[in-house]
Amino acid sequence: MNLKTQIAEQLPAWRARLKRLITEYGQVKVADINIAQILGGIRDVKALVTDISCVDPNRGIRLRGYTIPELIDLLPKRPGDQMPFLGGLYYLLLVGRIPTYEEGMEIEEEWKKRQEVPGYVYDVVQAMPKNTSAMTLFSLAILAMQRESHFTKEYDRGLKKEDYWIPTLEDSLDLTAKAPAIAAFIYNYKFRNGQIVKPRADLDWAANFGTMIGIENEQYYELARLYFIIHSDHESGNVSAHTTYLVSSTLSDVYYAVSAGLNGLAGPLHGRANQEAMEWLLDVYQKYQGVPSKEQLTEYAWDTLGAGKVIPGYGHAILRITDPRFTAQLEFGERVMPDYDLFRLAKLVYEVVPEVLRQQGKAKDPWPNVDAISGVLQRYYGVMDSKDNDPGGFYTVLFGVSRILGVTANTVWARALGAPIERPKSVTTRTLENIVTEQTGVEIPLHESYAHERGCR
Ligand code: CMX
């Protein structure tokens, strides 16, 4: 396989590069960390390395150095398509350079060979009540497939450390190949007729997801390609990426690691925000029986904040601009659904909410993130997140299908470069207080309600 050779050829130089950094420059300091950062979600602490993607706070995501417009422009496309096929993106993430059409298609072909989902995975999903959250079903289905892992089988037989990445790549190709079919089945099980729909031989990976949920529409295929490109990776510190990386650092295989990462993606402050943003828009739409005026929307936004809730789809831990992943979706919407009410509403929210958040003065980033509009585009084509009394969660599964591309690419490289088990040091609160005393001379008295504390030093 060209892909494997392309990675293997890079490894000697990469390993030498890292070895040099550790042995010759290992003592060079990268970052200081203060108490506010330790107690504030480890924000802005440069403590992780990935070469798959990086997020510039003022420019947004770059996948292997390419912005989203550059990716759409440069990645190979099938004849007649406007959006690149995902095999090309996965090649880029794994190999680090834009592939030729043939190289990208080689991945699409690999995916076709590996796309059949084992029957017991469908059984696992079907054993669960239909109103189980779609993310729970997705994570369960992936965990159920752990028995397929090439890495774990070969590790058990005895595998050299420098070869760990080879069966990890096999697992990654298997898992990414099957992910759209599993997600589509979960959708069909929860919201449609429960059928297992076979992918079409003439379609690419992303478009086939549409087919398998019953949407045979060229425009939706283009949206699926765009959606799966922009959600694939967002450097290493976000919860889904970091959880996958952390679990994988124990040499758990990609099934264990990705399932864990998806459980993090399921949280409302992360991937579930796409579902919550849709719900927020629908609540507004219902309350005002249509797209409200700017004044009404401003009032609604303040009411949300007044109730102690966040406005989903806005704000970001790293970004300080409108997320380019939002912009790419906004532009898609402008082209194909400018008059769709929910799209008009999402645009109005973009006009109103940043100013409201700025006036409130809490959020460091008042701008929309990827989740603010993604549900609207899906809903336009009839893709639902939930139905009746079902808590749904399907939009986050869509996010997950794409995110698997980035986190598995990271896992392959972590294995190839011999990344060690992650194990940061924790301290007690009293240790932090003692450090304050050491550095400032100020004694922080131990309040009587903590008098039982033994501490660690
Ligand atoms: N609405 C209301 N308040 C917000 C806000 C929003 N959209 N975004 C941030 N804030 C608040 C925070 O809750 C925090 O309040 P407290 O001081 O009372 O705790 C304050 O502003 C400061 O937060 P921050 O430093 O700007 O943001 P964080 O790095 O802590 O959190 C994020 C980032 C994304 C969790 C936050 O902006 C948020 O909750 N947004 C809404 C949920 C969302 O869209 N998440 C999806 C992010 C993208 C993704 O991962 O998919």
Side-chain angles (χ1 to χ4, degrees):
M1 203 196 321
N2 172 36
L3 176 65
K4 193 170 142 193
T5 315
Q6 291 291 322
I7 296 174
E9 279 175 5
Q10 297 181 46
L11 292 182
W14 265 104
R15 286 173 179 155
R17 188 175 175 184
L18 288 188
K19 192 169 176 202
R20 181 163 190 219
L21 274 175
I22 294 171
T23 52
E24 294 181 33
Y25 305 107
Q27 302 312 310
V28 172
K29 231 172 151 182
V30 176
D32 277 328
I33 181 163
N34 61 35
I35 289 181
Q37 288 175 308
I38 294 173
L39 296 179
I42 334 182
R43 208 65 92 247
D44 289 330
V45 179
K46 294 187 181 75
L48 302 168
V49 184
T50 176
D51 292 283
I52 308 295
S53 69
C54 64
V55 179
D56 178 331
N58 299 310
R59 291 217 171 86
I61 181 69
R62 279 171 190 269
L63 300 170
R64 288 292 195 171
Y66 295 93
T67 63
I68 288 169
E70 286 170 341
L71 292 169
I72 294 172
D73 190 29
L74 297 172
L75 283 171
K77 303 176 187 74
R78 288 158 37 113
D81 289 351
Q82 300 198 337
M83 291 291 164
F85 56 88
L86 270 287
L89 178 86
Y90 201 42
Y91 188 102
L92 171 70
L93 297 181
L94 281 164
V95 173
R97 70 168 167 78
I98 300 272
T100 61
Y101 180 84
E102 289 70 29
E103 287 170 330
M105 282 312 258
E106 196 196 348
I107 302 224
E108 290 281 343
E109 290 310 315
E110 274 300 323
W111 278 339
K112 283 192 198 308
K113 282 186 225 152
R114 298 163 187 255
Q115 69 196 1
E116 180 98 24
V117 176
Y120 64 82
V121 176
Y122 295 120
D123 295 342
V124 166
V125 172
Q126 282 166 323
M128 300 296 290
K130 278 194 179 173
N131 65 358
T132 306
S133 145
M135 277 303 274
T136 306
L137 297 178
F138 195 40
S139 175
L140 265 178
I142 288 172
L143 190 60
M145 279 198 302
Q146 187 279 327
R147 65 189 290 285
E148 309 293 331
S149 170
H150 298 281
F151 173 79
T152 296
K153 284 188 199 110
E154 291 194 28
Y155 181 85
D156 288 346
R157 281 199 290 266
L159 184 64
K160 278 193 296 190
K161 190 173 178 190
E162 64 188 54
D163 292 338
Y164 285 175
W165 69 277
I166 299 170
T168 302
L169 176 63
E170 289 294 318
D171 285 350
S172 298
L173 286 165
D174 280 350
L175 178 55
T176 49
K178 295 173 192 0
I182 296 170
F185 177 68
I186 289 169
Y187 187 79
N188 295 340
Y189 177 62
K190 285 175 75 68
F191 305 141
R192 294 178 70 234
N193 49 16
Q195 279 180 359
I196 298 168
V197 182
K198 294 274 175 225
R200 274 171 41 186
D202 61 321
L203 285 179
D204 54 302
W205 184 90
N208 255 322
F209 170 76
T211 303
M212 290 185 285
I213 57 168
I215 303 180
E216 303 242 6
N217 172 327
E218 290 293 333
Q219 242 181 30
Y220 184 74
Y221 297 161
E222 295 285 23
L223 175 63
R225 295 182 188 110
L226 173 67
Y227 186 102
F228 291 139
I229 289 171
I230 64 177
H231 287 79
S232 60
D233 208 33
H234 216 232
E235 71 174 45
S236 259
N238 67 77
V239 170
S240 52
H242 188 213
T243 307
T244 308
Y245 189 92
L246 172 69
V247 173
S248 164
S249 83
T250 69
L251 300 185
S252 278
D253 57 53
V254 295
Y255 297 93
Y256 282 125
V258 167
S259 172
L262 290 171
N263 296 341
L265 189 68
L269 296 185
H270 191 14
R272 193 176 129 183
N274 64 9
Q275 168 184 348
E276 303 217 329
M278 189 71 245
E279 283 161 11
W280 195 84
L281 293 176
L282 289 173
D283 288 346
V284 171
Y285 196 78
Q286 195 175 15
K287 173 161 180 184
Y288 299 104
Q289 297 291 296
V291 180
S293 67
K294 257 184 159 181
E295 292 66 32
Q296 288 170 322
L297 188 58
T298 306
E299 189 183 310
Y300 195 92
W302 277 112
D303 286 349
T304 302
L305 297 179
K309 297 181 191 159
V310 297
I311 299 181
Y314 280 75
H316 201 272
I318 303 278
L319 289 174
R320 295 296 175 256
I321 48 158
T322 294
D323 190 335
R325 302 172 299 171
F326 172 87
T327 309
Q329 296 180 93
L330 185 74
E331 287 170 1
F332 186 95
E334 291 286 15
R335 278 202 306 279
V336 306
M337 59 185 84
D339 301 325
Y340 177 43
D341 263 11
L342 289 174
F343 180 71
R344 287 174 45 232
L345 175 57
K347 273 175 61 180
L348 191 65
V349 173
Y350 182 30
E351 279 178 46
V352 165
V353 162
E355 185 50 33
V356 170
L357 287 174
R358 247 199 309 255
Q359 282 179 23
Q360 192 207 27
K362 276 171 66 176
K364 293 188 192 71
D365 171 44
W367 302 108
N369 60 56
V370 68
D371 299 319
I373 198 167
S374 56
V376 169
L377 306 196
Q378 294 296 326
R379 199 176 166 97
Y380 178 74
Y381 294 98
V383 182
M384 289 176 293
D385 180 69
S386 55
K387 190 179 173 188
D388 306 328
N389 293 326
D390 185 324
F394 190 73
Y395 288 170
T396 313
V397 171
L398 275 179
F399 192 153
V401 169
S402 171
R403 185 48 58 95
I404 293 173
L405 300 171
V407 298
T408 52
N410 267 293
T411 304
V412 169
W413 274 91
R415 288 280 156 85
L417 299 177
I421 184 167
E422 262 195 16
R423 205 330 186 164
K425 175 85 181 87
S426 61
V427 294
T428 65
T429 308
R430 193 62 189 156
T431 305
L432 289 182
E433 290 167 342
N434 289 338
I435 291 171
V436 170
T437 306
E438 274 162 30
Q439 289 188 23
T440 67
V442 176
E443 282 284 346
I444 301 184
L446 199 54
H447 189 273
E448 62 186 22
S449 54
Y450 316 128
H452 59 278
E453 249 182 45
R454 299 281 300 269
C456 280
R457 71 168 209 174

